[in-house]
Amino acid sequence: MKRIGVLTSGGDNPGLNPCIRAVVRAGIHHGLEVMGIRRGYTGLLSGEVEEMTARSVGGIIGRGGTILGTARCPEFYKPRGRRDALRTLNRFGIEGLVVIGGNGSLTGALELWRAGFPVVGIPSTIDNDVNGTDISIGVDTALNTILDAVDKIKDTASSHNRAFLVETMGRNSGYLALVSGIAGGAEMVLIPEVETKFEEICHTIEDAYVRGKSHCLIIVAEGWRPGTQALARQLVERQEELGFSVRVTQLGHVQRGGAASAFDRLLATRLGAAAVKALISGGGGNIVGWVRSTITLTPLEEAVAFDKQPSPELVELAEIMEK
Ligand code: F6P
């Protein structure tokens, strides 16, 4: 193998640039040429490819976003899209590909692998719902951003004696809400994976008031139904009897920006270098993950077979701490 490609795809996060840097520098270290593909699978279809050098990734380890750009690309998932992608890879003499992304992007990588092309995936999504890794790139930084916001919201919530609903990202995944709820000292966490009745939520708020707490903080995952705003409307109607008045903060895309944490820089660098090694040594068709503090290869097929569920141990821990 002489020339490999790298792309970032799907929702961005602060671990992407450190990861691109690692792939490029590890590739060069192993005597490869490394081509950067712009805008994820969109650029792969349209042939937006350029050579990367050790210098072109200089100074990016602490920069949020992705220097390659990213996109969600529905066309890629049609047979014609995959054909055009393979055509671009052939045209530029690329013999192996590193795909950095979440479940959707890694499903795309699996399609290329099934078409006979050597691909290695790197799990990168703040949702932390990819199998085959304990933690994906970007999760730690997003959690730190959430905690910074939660600590600040608690200040104002306590001053005004209010209940706050704080919504974290996670389209189908409650991981960020669950873990930031534990680490942020929330009174309750609402996640799509666990059913919670409206009356239980009312009880938690009223109970916090009766027990003399200065505020009540509820972290809600984006994917929880019927949704944060609908819940807020229902609670506002009941706020007289609940004790606390209710406010809502949706953290939104701020969770995907900023400089990567130390943990994410290290994880991204380890996995980027490991992906290159895997490609060279015939480990195509896998993702490189971080399992029990060890780099591990897991077949792409298994990695994307289903969305990883939050561990029952964490769900229980959150409940124990919500007193
Ligand atoms: O997949 C990561 C994620 O941040 C989800 O948590 C969120 O639902 C989604 O991306 C938002 O995507 P977009 O930025 O395309 O609206």
Side-chain angles (χ1 to χ4, degrees):
M1 196 172 283
K2 284 204 167 57
R3 180 178 281 187
I4 62 169
V6 57
L7 63 82
T8 52
S9 166
D12 67 346
N13 70 70
L16 294 178
N17 279 332
C19 197
I20 295 167
R21 175 180 177 272
V23 170
V24 171
R25 293 204 173 159
I28 292 168
H29 170 78
H30 290 291
L32 300 171
E33 287 172 357
V34 185
M35 309 301 282
I37 296 150
R38 295 208 157 271
R39 298 194 301 134
Y41 291 118
T42 306
L44 188 57
L45 299 195
S46 55
E48 296 171 56
V49 178
E50 66 189 53
E51 184 167 359
M52 318 252 334
T53 64
R55 288 283 60 75
S56 67
V57 292
I60 67 168
I61 197 162
R63 261 169 61 190
T66 158
I67 60 164
L68 288 176
T70 184
R72 303 195 192 272
C73 177
E75 300 81 49
F76 174 76
Y77 296 88
K78 298 177 186 151
R80 191 196 160 116
R82 283 196 298 282
R83 207 184 55 204
D84 288 353
L86 291 168
R87 192 177 155 93
T88 300
L89 291 164
N90 278 333
R91 189 171 122 217
F92 286 92
I94 296 171
E95 296 162 285
L97 181 66
V98 176
V99 171
I100 311 170
N103 270 325
S105 312
L106 297 175
T107 303
L110 176 60
E111 293 301 331
L112 285 176
W113 170 247
R114 284 186 174 145
F117 197 84
V119 192
V120 171
I122 301 181
S124 151
T125 164
I126 66 167
D127 291 357
N128 204 27
D129 55 357
V130 177
N131 291 298
T133 191
D134 293 341
I135 190 155
S136 290
I137 290 172
V139 175
D140 183 68
T141 310
L143 276 174
N144 283 308
T145 302
I146 295 168
L147 285 182
D148 181 51
V150 160
D151 288 346
K152 287 173 177 155
I153 287 166
K154 277 168 100 172
D155 291 343
T156 175
S158 297
S159 307
H160 288 267
N161 297 131
R162 284 172 171 161
F164 260 85
L165 303 181
V166 177
E167 185 186 285
T168 64
M169 273 190 163
R171 203 192 335 246
N172 303 310
S173 159
Y175 183 86
L176 282 179
L178 181 61
V179 177
S180 61
I182 295 171
E187 273 65 37
M188 187 172 224
V189 168
L190 301 174
I191 59 175
E193 297 88 348
V194 176
E195 198 193 327
T196 312
K197 298 215 160 37
F198 179 61
E199 286 311 318
E200 284 176 62
I201 302 168
C202 292
H203 174 75
T204 298
I205 298 175
E206 200 176 348
D207 188 55
Y209 184 78
V210 170
R211 289 196 290 131
K213 289 198 173 194
S214 60
H215 64 262
C216 179
L217 175 71
I218 300 181
I219 312 265
V220 189
E222 178 192 352
W224 181 79
R225 291 292 167 262
T228 315
Q229 294 295 355
L231 173 62
R233 281 193 293 277
Q234 285 176 290
L235 290 174
V236 165
E237 280 174 20
R238 297 264 295 260
Q239 63 188 11
E240 280 299 311
E241 67 188 90
L242 296 177
F244 291 120
S245 59
V246 179
R247 293 289 187 276
V248 181
T249 301
Q250 283 174 298
L251 296 178
H253 287 78
V254 71
Q255 295 161 91
R256 295 222 307 242
S261 65
F263 179 87
D264 267 331
R265 292 182 198 197
L266 212 50
L267 180 69
T269 305
R270 277 186 162 128
L271 296 187
V276 172
K277 256 192 178 170
L279 264 186
I280 295 169
S281 52
N286 287 294
I287 67 157
V288 287
W290 188 242
V291 180
R292 298 199 184 111
S293 301
T294 307
I295 288 168
T296 312
L297 296 189
T298 300
L300 276 162
E301 208 153 27
E302 279 176 38
V304 301
F306 56 89
D307 291 348
K308 190 169 69 176
Q309 298 295 298
S311 82
E313 178 252 326
L314 282 180
V315 173
E316 193 191 352
L317 188 61
E319 282 165 8
I320 294 170
M321 293 297 143
E322 289 166 0
K323 293 289 177 266

